[in-house]
Amino acid sequence: MKQAGFPLGILLLFWVSYITDFSLILLIKGGALSGTDSYQSLVNKTFGFPGYLLLSVLQFLYPFIAMISYNIIAGDTLSKVFQRIPGVDPENVFIGRHFIIVLSTVTFTLPLSLYRDIAKLGKISFISTVLTVVILGIVMTRAVSLGPHIPKTEDAWVFAKPNAIQAVGVMSFAFICHHNCFLVYGSLEEATVAKWSRIIHMSILVSVFICMLFATCGYLTFTGFTQGDLFENYCRGDDLVTFGRFCYGITVILTYPIECFVTREVIANVFFGGTLSSVFHVVITVVIITIATLVSLLIDCLGIVLELNGVLCAAPLIFIIPSACYLKVSEEPRTHSDKIVSCVMLPIGAVVMIFGFIMAITNPQDCTHGQEMFYCFPDNVSLTNISDSHFQLTTQLPVLNISIFQ
């Protein structure tokens, strides 16, 4: 919303969700038409080894970078949670983001990632969904109690901003699941295209509803001050948000193994003929997670990670490759609706990928990682212990530190 402009951002959110819905079904249709059962085999059959190699790189990079971003989120959010424990020194190394990333990796993400069957993560995914609803409730609550007291930026309500393509990259990152759709499709009982379509329609509908609420409440609260990681905007002493941070950290930790499944499958397909022995299964999993952990320890700004992953990996995986594969394997007439939409999606994806990358490099998002926002210190009136029953702020807040945002 910050990058695109709020009204255009809402429209883009619905558009990206529609394209996601369409392309997920298109992939399975392409697999059925070509007699293939994986994204890689579909591309290999339609575009040969060069296409297979390109897809394998993208299919590996997207979930791998997602794993890095999840580590960053877990480290950022849980470190702030542990700092709120009474008697704990905020400078204690054992509550620092680096230690938390390593601890969560060894304790949770690595053991969960060692499963061989993705269906076994179903209950874990359900827990993540429940926690997401809890987090949404907290964000909505703070939009009401905190939002009116934070000054709005001058361009808060313009229809469109020049960074809209970067916004599409972030949204693409949020919605993409194409890299593991064949894995999920294969885990269904009596899998059919019709059954898959019903599941996708319902899943995308719920997802866009949740995303819209998050985006709207978050942006209405902070407008132009919105960070790439929304929880970076809230004051550290807000106890309700601290609980939200805890839920958020647990959610991304539980989501992490699904991305690891895909990276491991890509390596298995490219180098091991699709099957890993028990020893190689463990070794490759450990190597992937170790590298992702080391990289996440060196990067602490989430916004640029989301943008680059969105435009470089998500855009071709959502827009370009599914359309190209379907156009080649389908024998439907050119006037068929699926072919018309595919012909439109393909060039749009190329534009998003090329210009989104250029803009992400030349005009990166601001990052105030680890810093308290200025509105957390309004004329010595503390925002660090917000409660709905005694939430009062000085009327001087709208002019506080006016030089910061003029």
Side-chain angles (χ1 to χ4, degrees):
M1 300 304 107
K2 176 185 175 182
Q3 297 286 58
F6 183 69
L8 179 60
I10 293 294
L11 295 176
L12 287 175
L13 188 62
F14 281 105
W15 176 70
V16 171
S17 67
Y18 168 76
I19 295 299
T20 302
D21 182 285
F22 178 83
S23 57
L24 282 169
I25 296 171
L26 205 65
L27 274 177
I28 300 302
K29 286 182 178 179
L33 290 171
S34 62
T36 55
D37 59 359
S38 72
Y39 202 164
Q40 289 169 290
S41 58
L42 170 61
V43 174
N44 189 29
K45 190 162 185 176
T46 51
F47 293 103
F49 183 74
Y52 170 82
L53 190 60
L54 174 62
L55 177 73
S56 296
V57 171
L58 293 174
Q59 252 194 317
F60 177 84
L61 283 178
Y62 172 79
F64 181 75
I65 298 175
M67 289 163 64
I68 295 172
S69 69
Y70 291 159
N71 275 338
I72 294 173
I73 293 171
D76 288 346
T77 56
L78 294 180
S79 63
K80 293 180 178 63
V81 171
F82 295 146
Q83 287 173 9
R84 292 292 296 159
I85 298 175
V88 173
D89 181 4
E91 302 300 322
N92 191 319
V93 67
F94 294 108
I95 63 170
R97 64 181 299 271
H98 294 89
F99 180 80
I100 290 173
I101 289 173
V102 174
L103 180 64
S104 64
T105 298
V106 174
T107 308
F108 296 104
T109 55
L110 178 57
L112 291 174
S113 297
L114 287 172
Y115 279 120
R116 282 183 172 270
D117 184 4
I118 196 171
K120 291 184 178 180
L121 298 179
K123 293 181 180 179
I124 294 174
S125 297
F126 177 74
I127 295 173
S128 297
T129 303
V130 173
L131 291 177
T132 299
V133 175
V134 173
I135 298 166
L136 177 59
I138 293 172
V139 171
M140 293 173 67
T141 300
R142 283 295 171 253
V144 175
S145 62
L146 179 61
H149 303 280
I150 296 179
K152 309 306 178 188
T153 50
E154 291 182 1
D155 62 347
W157 312 118
V158 298
F159 179 81
K161 296 181 182 179
N163 297 338
I165 290 182
Q166 289 173 269
V168 173
V170 175
M171 293 174 189
S172 299
F173 175 91
F175 275 93
I176 184 174
C177 52
H178 300 60
H179 53 296
N180 57 27
C181 71
F182 279 96
L183 279 173
V184 178
Y185 179 75
S187 70
L188 298 178
E189 294 182 6
E190 301 178 1
T192 63
V193 173
K195 185 176 183 179
W196 175 254
S197 298
R198 290 194 299 271
I199 292 172
I200 292 302
H201 292 329
M202 182 58 66
S203 299
I204 295 298
L205 183 64
V206 172
S207 296
V208 72
F209 177 71
I210 292 175
C211 283
M212 185 179 67
L213 287 177
F214 264 118
T216 301
C217 294
Y219 186 79
L220 291 180
T221 306
F222 303 109
T223 60
F225 304 116
T226 306
Q227 300 295 303
D229 180 351
L230 184 62
F231 273 110
E232 286 291 298
N233 279 103
Y234 294 101
C235 304
R236 293 189 183 184
D238 186 337
D239 292 332
L240 179 62
V241 173
T242 297
F243 177 68
R245 287 191 176 105
F246 176 75
C247 295
Y248 188 31
I250 298 300
T251 298
V252 297
I253 287 174
L254 297 181
T255 306
Y256 184 107
I258 297 176
E259 306 299 349
C260 185
F261 264 72
V262 181
T263 58
R264 187 174 60 226
E265 185 197 38
V266 171
I267 292 177
N269 289 339
V270 173
F271 298 104
F272 298 93
T275 303
L276 292 174
S277 66
S278 298
V279 173
F280 276 110
H281 173 84
V282 173
V283 170
I284 291 174
T285 302
V286 171
V287 170
I288 291 172
I289 291 179
T290 299
I291 296 174
T293 302
L294 292 175
V295 174
S296 60
L297 293 175
L298 300 174
I299 302 174
D300 61 6
C301 195
L302 183 63
I304 187 65
V305 176
L306 300 183
E307 284 188 11
L308 289 177
N309 205 15
V311 297
L312 291 180
C313 299
L317 287 171
I318 292 177
F319 296 92
I320 301 174
I321 299 177
S323 302
C325 288
Y326 183 79
L327 289 172
K328 190 160 185 179
V329 301
S330 175
E331 297 180 356
E332 297 286 352
R334 294 182 180 179
T335 55
H336 191 275
S337 59
D338 286 349
K339 282 200 169 182
I340 293 174
V341 177
S342 297
C343 289
V344 174
M345 279 173 50
L346 203 154
I348 290 178
V351 170
V352 170
M353 182 178 177
I354 296 170
F355 287 95
F357 174 73
I358 294 173
M359 294 181 71
I361 296 299
T362 59
N363 188 27
Q365 291 189 35
D366 296 331
C367 183
T368 57
H369 171 76
Q371 301 177 15
E372 282 281 68
M373 300 297 288
F374 71 89
Y375 46 75
C376 293
F377 310 100
D379 288 349
N380 296 321
V381 177
S382 177
L383 272 178
T384 58
N385 193 21
I386 303 171
S387 76
D388 294 331
S389 60
H390 59 276
F391 186 82
Q392 294 180 345
L393 286 174
T394 173
T395 55
Q396 297 176 345
L397 179 58
V399 296
L400 172 71
N401 291 339
I402 196 73
S403 60
I404 293 178
F405 49 88
Q406 274 187 338

